[in-house]
Amino acid sequence: MTLDTVTGSAPVQATRTDLLDVQNLRVDFTSRAGRTQVVRDVSFTLAPGEVLCILGESGSGKSVTLRALMRLLPQGRSEITGQVSFQGEDVLAMPRRALNGLRGARISMIFQEPMTALDPVFTIGDQIAETVIRHTGVSRDKAMARALELLELVRIPSPERRLRAYPHELSGGLRQRAMIAVSLSCYPQLLLADEPTTALDATVQIQVLILLKQLQQDLGMGTIFVTHDLGVAAQIADKIAVMYAGRIVEYGSAEEVLLNPSHPYARGMLASTVSGQARDRDISAIPGSPPDLRALPPGCAFAPRCAFATDLCRRTEPGLTPRGTFGHVLCHHAQDLASPALVGATVTAT
Amino acid sequence: MMNFFKLQGPAARVAPRPDPRDIGGPRQPMLIARNLRKHFPITGGLLGRAVASVKAVDDVSFTVQKGETLGVVGESGCGKSTLARLLMHLVPPDSGEMIFDGQEVGARYGLRLRDLRRNMQMVFQDSASSLNPRMPIEESVAYGPRVHGMGRAEARAHAISLLEQVGLPARLFAGRYPHELSGGQKQRVNIARALALDPRMLILDEAVSALDKSVEAQVLNLLRRLKSEFNLTYIFISHDLHVVQYISDRVMVMYLGEVVEIGPVERIYANASHPYTQALLASQLHADPRNRVTDPPITGDPPNPVNPPTGCRFHTRCPFAEAMCSSTAPRLHPLAGEEGHIVACHMADPSSGHARAGRAGLDRLGMARPLAAKAASEPPCKEGLRA
Amino acid sequence: MSEMTTNHAIAAQIPGEDVPRGERRSYWANVRERLGHDPVTLFFMGVIGAAVGAALLAPWVAPHDPYATSMLARLRPVGTEGHLLGTDELGRDMLSRLIWGARTSLLMGILPVLVALVIGGFLGVIAGFMGGAVNMVVMRIMDVFYAFPSVLLAVAISGTLGGGMGSGLLALTLVFIPSLCRVAETAASQIRGLDFVDAARASGAPVYSIIVTHVVGNVLPPVLIYASSLISVSILLAAGLSFLGLGVSPPTADWGQMLSSLRQGIYMQPLVCALPGLAILIVSLSFNLVSDGLRQAMDIKS
């Protein structure tokens, strides 16, 4: 069996037009109890106007990865290594001051719970205007006019009135739109979104997703979208990176990953997602639960839950196997598993 | 309201298994809820007088047959979680009655609350708060039987056997504290605790919503198995339409404290007749990137339940709304030719006078987009809450 | 159920999860174990233990009669032959007086807090768990006591009652009840809203059972931690009362009382005069540090 496997640190092909190029990103959390690797060997690239979804369950390291890109992790308790280059600039080596100029201006971020991200004592208008003034230095009147424009952009009804509203006076969907407006205040080139629609109701979630997709296309923003929801990823992603136990186990175009996943975890996740399964049969679930990052198994982190695991998997960590035009799979048996016969025999696609 | 129960008819969709605990016979519904109502007052001012009220559950009636699973869906503020607590009498209903297996709950010669709670148990949404953090899980499970007079050793043995049955080998888990468990394991303990009193019915309030997908599937499979092993009846409350479709026999859709549609699961998913149900279904996301939703099925947020819209509560977001919808509240009405499928929409009632009367389910959201003007309707602010 | 292998019984098949934890260990056994790994807390517990031991065994431990005066040996310095810690302004042996003084000082420090813990904790748990009108009545009464600064209140109460040890104890107890009640009330009302309490109600448990099993256990840690920090406050307040002449009456040895009567000698033997203050400092500090250690040991996630 000759696997065309390259080592774990193989660079993902980067082109000159990339907006963001992340190579071997690694995040360690340090505490008195010791050091925990939370994110390892994460590499991906993002072109302008492209949407990457980082898909994973709780504890997979997806949110930490996102925060590491903006160095938003608590200093002293975390250590970020590797290379994050945004428009050719090295974010990890950047001095604090330059970083602050980047944050909120060229890179901005939206969160799951707008109530905690928006300041409760300022009106929506004030918060947008403040960001605009800080980054562009325009007058207050101009900044307020800009705020109004932004509320119209995110389609908040009767924006003049909402400009003077406090966050708690808005419904969940409007609040999330307001946060998107704040994040767009300086027309960022890169938008980082951490589960921005998870807390929303279904009928509101779809509105916000459609809005985000439209804004992202109109403004040509590169977007990284962290989610645990396959449906959200399918709705918005161009590329998908599936994370498990701190590593990207599968990376590829949305179609490749969602319609023809190679990694056993990605497949299992797809198969265990409830969506129109036969009602009189069990759902094919992945057994067990994700590993404790402080005590990872020696080989592949997924091996203890994997139906295809061999001794090799339990002994040595797999390297990256290329797949598609740019993607990769982190599995010893990626090529064997790619054969259709095996797929049909083990995982019934839904 | 009497004919309402005839509407739901003898639609025993699941053949009930005989059970020695049966009192009303296999055809007697496990639970009948009639006109349940709960309004939470909002107090304001110096004297703490009630200035408004949240109409959390408003005139809700339904039946649950023995052995079936009734799915309850709706968005935040629709009252589904309050309904669960009302049924358990964790919050007392303002009005309405409940009949459990033929016995009226709380009536003079009916079922005592304590006995209701032995027969009906609740599984809470997994969260840090659903288990006592300072109690080993085995004790949490044994607590209920102990309260009902079981001896210490017997309760302990019972708890251990239940933990085994929900997939937590007692040898590894019995002595653990909740913080030593993963989300899925905590939810298994929650389920074991609910089963400890040997109940006949479980109310599952968003029981799998907080779990990761792979773990959610495990717990759903477990619930399916336990249902047949313990001969249980479920009320499954969730916002996830995919999960409700998988697990339910019948589905009840709620909006702002009211029932808008009840029907057999396949009828609801194939022929949703209330525009809100249609909107919910059209908002479902599918894991297929080739099949993206490009137009939102409806606009705006669910209104604040403090001051719900007059008439039909959905009229502010409904693309088919007419003048009558904002003045007259529709009543639950059977759908022609569909047994057990009832809808609270003027379009479902041929004699309502709505321009589309009798056409419920024919004009569908997500396919035809009739009234563009409605798209501008603005979602209400939460200003009412500031009082 | 062992045949139920696939898919259901697999919650346990996780690496690192196969550590048997079948047998139950009580919460307090875990607290003890965590305390065992905390040398700082253990050391200061030892200091407190020594102080309490000395106080209890005063008649046997004290080298001299604490009331035996000597006009010849007044205000001797520390290290004097026969008087290890010197003598006071009436020539009484300082070491013996400090040991005997520990009796009253520790009693005044611990007893009011203990009594207030029981009364305040009980009222707080009832108020917090019941909510509504009960809460309103209890907490408004507590607010009345809260309105006065604690020192002023203690002075006022023991002054009204006419001084002496009994009234001092009563005054301190009354001073501590409101704050302990408030801590217990906050904790209990938080717990009241949690799902596991609802689950207990849903299982048909009567209110007293829920309070005893689920509420007290979760209210106790924060209240205990707070109470242990109050002990040092109580010692200081008691010392203050004695200093003002409202606590223990003169011949009785008490650290506050000693501090008060020794202040005349401060220019002659500053070290000797500071000794009672030093004792108060060490004991208070120990209680504070132990309370800090307890907080860490009682944190379930550590």
Side-chain angles (χ1 to χ4, degrees):
Chain A
M1 164 168 70
T2 52
L3 281 172
D4 185 19
T5 304
V6 283
T7 51
S9 56
V12 171
Q13 274 307 311
T15 49
R16 233 162 33 83
T17 55
D18 279 333
L19 176 69
L20 184 73
D21 178 14
V22 177
Q23 296 296 340
N24 301 322
L25 181 72
R26 177 186 166 127
V27 182
D28 289 358
F29 282 174
T30 50
S31 70
R32 268 182 303 172
R35 165 183 286 265
T36 313
Q37 300 180 358
V38 189
V39 170
R40 286 181 302 151
D41 300 329
V42 163
S43 303
F44 57 81
T45 62
L46 189 76
E50 207 173 29
V51 182
L52 167 75
C53 260
I54 303 180
L55 195 59
E57 302 190 338
S58 50
S60 61
K62 56 189 193 302
S63 290
V64 174
T65 303
L66 197 71
R67 282 173 167 72
L69 298 179
M70 256 172 111
R71 282 164 58 190
L72 276 176
L73 296 167
Q75 265 186 317
R77 274 181 294 151
S78 59
E79 212 178 281
I80 310 171
T81 51
Q83 193 205 336
V84 176
S85 115
F86 172 69
Q87 293 182 322
E89 294 173 65
D90 187 352
V91 177
L92 297 186
M94 204 175 267
R96 277 272 145 198
R97 178 173 293 218
L99 192 68
N100 288 338
L102 205 65
R103 288 179 183 164
R106 285 155 63 200
I107 305 181
S108 65
M109 187 150 178
I110 50 179
F111 300 89
Q112 176 172 344
E113 201 17 91
M115 214 36 198
T116 56
L118 293 172
D119 191 328
V121 300
F122 291 103
T123 62
I124 299 297
D126 283 338
Q127 300 195 41
I128 303 179
E130 189 219 1
T131 318
V132 173
I133 293 170
R134 177 150 33 92
H135 289 289
T136 59
V138 295
S139 73
R140 205 181 144 70
D141 283 353
K142 277 208 177 116
M144 274 317 237
R146 178 93 179 83
L148 186 63
E149 250 174 66
L150 283 161
L151 290 192
E152 280 163 0
L153 187 70
V154 297
R155 293 191 206 111
I156 288 183
S158 50
E160 292 88 353
R161 190 154 66 84
R162 263 50 189 261
L163 218 46
R164 294 187 300 273
Y166 290 91
H168 70 271
E169 296 173 306
L170 302 180
S171 63
L174 286 186
R175 225 179 275 148
Q176 195 55 280
R177 283 170 196 256
M179 186 159 72
I180 294 171
V182 174
S183 73
L184 295 182
S185 49
C186 298
Y187 288 122
Q189 282 108 22
L190 176 62
L191 179 69
L192 305 179
D194 190 1
E195 306 247 17
T197 62
T198 304
L200 300 176
D201 283 321
T203 58
V204 180
Q205 160 165 294
I206 187 72
Q207 297 173 42
V208 172
L209 282 176
I210 290 170
L211 173 76
L212 271 173
K213 183 81 191 165
Q214 220 159 39
L215 289 172
Q216 173 266 328
Q217 280 171 342
D218 293 351
L219 304 176
M221 272 187 304
T223 304
I224 301 180
F225 206 101
V226 162
T227 183
H228 69 280
D229 190 329
L230 290 167
V232 169
Q235 177 67 28
I236 200 161
D238 298 316
K239 293 171 165 181
I240 292 178
V242 181
M243 284 190 78
Y244 184 80
R247 301 188 73 174
I248 293 181
V249 294
E250 179 149 4
Y251 175 53
S253 73
E255 279 82 5
E256 281 170 344
V257 175
L258 290 176
L259 301 179
N260 187 22
S262 287
H263 195 281
Y265 171 68
R267 286 190 197 182
M269 191 150 103
L270 221 68
S272 64
T273 299
V274 185
S275 172
Q277 274 95 336
R279 293 164 32 75
D280 50 355
R281 218 168 298 150
D282 271 356
I283 309 161
S284 50
I286 306 177
S289 40
D292 184 351
L293 289 173
R294 286 163 300 183
L296 283 177
C300 170
F302 186 62
R305 304 174 73 190
C306 182
F308 308 101
T310 58
D311 278 344
L312 177 67
C313 304
R314 284 182 275 268
R315 226 173 29 242
T316 43
E317 276 205 85
L320 303 179
T321 307
R323 109 190 296 265
T325 46
F326 61 91
H328 59 72
V329 180
L330 189 80
C331 178
H332 285 300
H333 305 300
Q335 295 206 327
D336 315 353
L337 292 175
S339 82
L342 240 169
V343 176
T346 52
V347 180
T348 25
T350 49
Chain B
M1 224 51 226
M2 271 322 284
N3 75 325
F4 165 79
F5 296 99
K6 294 203 188 86
L7 299 180
Q8 294 202 358
R13 303 174 39 77
V14 187
R17 278 202 344 236
D19 191 303
R21 296 167 295 182
D22 244 2
I23 294 170
R27 293 272 167 227
Q28 169 70 37
M30 184 64 92
L31 180 71
I32 303 174
R34 275 190 199 147
N35 309 101
L36 287 181
R37 183 192 303 257
K38 181 72 197 179
H39 293 181
F40 294 106
I42 296 175
T43 54
L46 272 177
L47 299 171
R49 275 177 310 168
V51 291
S53 64
V54 180
K55 297 183 174 53
V57 170
D58 218 355
D59 205 12
V60 167
S61 304
F62 61 91
T63 59
V64 188
Q65 302 294 337
K66 282 181 179 140
E68 78 169 351
T69 299
L70 176 73
V72 180
V73 292
E75 295 175 295
S76 56
C78 78
K80 55 192 194 301
S81 282
T82 307
L83 179 67
R85 278 157 204 270
L86 275 187
L87 294 176
M88 286 305 301
H89 283 72
L90 288 173
V91 288
D94 294 344
S95 63
E97 54 182 4
M98 273 170 63
I99 296 165
F100 188 87
D101 197 11
Q103 294 176 288
E104 188 173 346
V105 176
R108 189 135 177 233
Y109 298 106
L111 193 65
R112 288 183 310 157
L113 204 54
R114 195 175 155 87
D115 293 325
L116 170 78
R117 284 172 171 169
R118 214 179 51 220
N119 283 307
M120 191 161 86
Q121 281 285 302
M122 179 162 169
V123 177
F124 294 83
Q125 178 165 5
D126 167 62
S127 67
S129 72
S130 59
L131 293 168
N132 187 343
R134 290 193 164 80
M135 203 183 244
I137 58 170
E138 177 204 297
E139 272 181 46
S140 279
V141 176
Y143 178 71
R146 294 272 297 136
V147 164
H148 283 265
M150 200 185 267
R152 184 176 287 275
E154 198 189 345
R156 180 164 185 223
H158 186 52
I160 285 177
S161 101
L162 280 168
L163 286 173
E164 300 268 356
Q165 293 199 58
V166 298
L168 297 172
R171 186 179 62 83
L172 305 181
F173 287 95
R176 290 194 195 211
Y177 287 87
H179 71 270
E180 299 173 294
L181 300 179
S182 69
Q185 290 164 348
K186 265 185 266 189
Q187 205 54 359
R188 286 169 192 259
V189 179
N190 259 327
I191 293 168
R193 177 178 61 191
L195 292 175
L197 292 173
D198 201 18
R200 306 188 58 197
M201 181 159 150
L202 285 191
I203 298 171
L204 300 131
D205 182 13
E206 300 277 8
V208 296
S209 305
L211 303 176
D212 283 324
K213 290 293 162 198
S214 65
V215 179
E216 176 187 86
Q218 294 172 16
V219 175
L220 285 173
N221 291 341
L222 174 72
L223 285 173
R224 249 171 53 86
R225 179 171 64 82
L226 292 174
K227 189 179 171 202
S228 72
E229 264 173 37
F230 288 82
N231 199 10
L232 294 166
T233 301
Y234 286 162
I235 292 183
F236 191 93
I237 298 172
S238 176
H239 68 277
D240 187 331
L241 288 139
H242 289 295
V243 172
V244 166
Q245 181 181 20
Y246 172 73
I247 204 149
S248 312
D249 300 301
R250 288 193 306 127
V251 175
M252 175 163 102
V253 185
M254 290 182 71
Y255 187 74
L256 286 180
E258 292 182 332
V259 175
V260 297
E261 187 163 4
I262 305 181
V265 63
E266 59 278 11
R267 299 312 305 159
I268 293 279
Y269 280 77
N271 186 29
S273 298
H274 196 285
Y276 175 64
T277 315
Q278 293 168 4
L280 266 183
L281 288 169
S283 304
Q284 271 185 298
L285 297 171
H286 297 276
D288 186 346
R290 296 165 306 186
N291 184 15
R292 289 179 176 168
V293 184
T294 47
D295 288 307
I298 50 170
T299 55
D301 286 27
N304 193 327
V306 175
N307 292 307
T310 55
C312 171
R313 292 187 179 174
F314 186 60
H315 82 261
T316 53
R317 299 170 81 194
C318 180
F320 308 109
E322 295 181 355
M324 69 168 302
C325 297
S326 55
S327 56
T328 320
R331 301 177 60 126
L332 282 165
H333 201 277
L335 219 57
E338 292 200 32
E339 199 191 355
H341 190 171
I342 53 175
V343 186
C345 177
H346 291 305
M347 294 192 289
D349 179 2
S351 60
S352 69
H354 193 283
R356 294 166 191 272
R359 288 180 58 79
L362 296 177
D363 299 309
R364 306 196 68 82
L365 269 170
M367 294 160 92
R369 325 218 79 259
L371 297 172
K374 263 287 148 195
S377 83
E378 81 183 50
C381 262
K382 283 200 175 168
E383 275 145 354
L385 272 179
R386 300 186 65 197
Chain C
M1 278 301 124
S2 54
E3 71 273 20
M4 289 292 176
T5 43
T6 50
N7 263 347
H8 302 304
I10 37 189
Q13 291 183 358
I14 307 139
E17 293 266 301
D18 40 2
V19 191
R21 277 296 313 276
E23 93 283 11
R24 294 182 309 175
R25 283 184 61 199
S26 81
Y27 166 68
W28 296 107
N30 287 334
V31 171
R32 266 201 301 281
E33 189 198 308
R34 283 191 287 259
L35 273 180
H37 296 297
D38 185 355
V40 177
T41 306
L42 285 180
F43 174 77
F44 284 102
M45 281 176 128
V47 172
I48 293 171
V52 171
L56 288 176
L57 303 174
W60 299 278
V61 180
H64 295 276
D65 178 352
Y67 302 111
T69 58
S70 160
M71 295 313 274
L72 297 174
R74 290 192 298 177
L75 284 174
R76 288 287 160 84
V78 173
T80 308
E81 182 78 43
H83 297 289
L84 192 60
L85 294 179
T87 58
D88 70 0
E89 80 283 2
L90 294 177
R92 296 173 291 198
D93 179 50
M94 275 303 282
L95 179 60
S96 306
R97 279 189 72 76
L98 281 173
I99 291 172
W100 279 90
R103 287 195 146 190
T104 39
S105 284
L106 286 178
L107 185 74
M108 295 287 272
I110 296 171
L111 193 65
V113 175
L114 267 185
V115 177
L117 174 73
V118 173
I119 300 174
F122 176 78
L123 287 174
V125 165
I126 300 296
F129 190 75
M130 295 299 183
V134 177
N135 184 301
M136 180 89 151
V137 171
V138 173
M139 295 320 286
R140 288 305 85 78
I141 292 173
M142 293 302 150
D143 282 350
V144 173
F145 282 92
Y146 245 130
F148 302 99
S150 55
V151 178
L152 198 67
L153 189 64
V155 169
I157 295 172
S158 80
T160 319
L161 295 175
M165 194 144 135
S167 65
L169 283 173
L170 187 65
L172 290 175
T173 308
L174 285 174
V175 164
F176 293 131
I177 288 177
S179 50
L180 281 165
C181 180
R182 165 73 42 100
V183 173
E185 189 260 351
T186 309
S189 63
Q190 274 168 6
I191 287 155
R192 175 172 90 123
L194 298 181
D195 281 350
F196 68 81
V197 170
D198 272 347
R201 289 172 61 206
S203 68
V207 172
Y208 72 84
S209 165
I210 296 177
I211 289 182
V212 169
T213 325
H214 293 289
V215 181
V216 171
N218 284 292
V219 169
L220 212 52
V223 176
L224 270 186
I225 289 157
Y226 183 63
S228 60
S229 73
L230 278 184
I231 289 176
S232 57
V233 178
S234 184
I235 291 175
L236 291 173
L237 272 182
L241 284 182
S242 305
F243 186 87
L244 293 175
L246 285 170
V248 184
S249 35
T252 322
D254 169 86
W255 294 345
Q257 167 74 44
M258 288 162 72
L259 202 60
S260 161
S261 56
L262 273 167
R263 69 184 187 275
Q264 303 142 354
I266 194 130
Y267 296 109
M268 286 174 271
Q269 289 296 345
L271 187 57
V272 171
C273 297
L275 280 176
L278 211 60
I280 294 173
L281 179 75
I282 289 172
V283 172
S284 311
L285 197 71
S286 303
F287 273 113
N288 269 334
L289 288 168
V290 167
S291 114
D292 215 43
L294 271 183
R295 178 167 61 231
Q296 275 175 31
M298 284 186 177
D299 184 3
I300 27 174
K301 295 218 168 61
S302 65

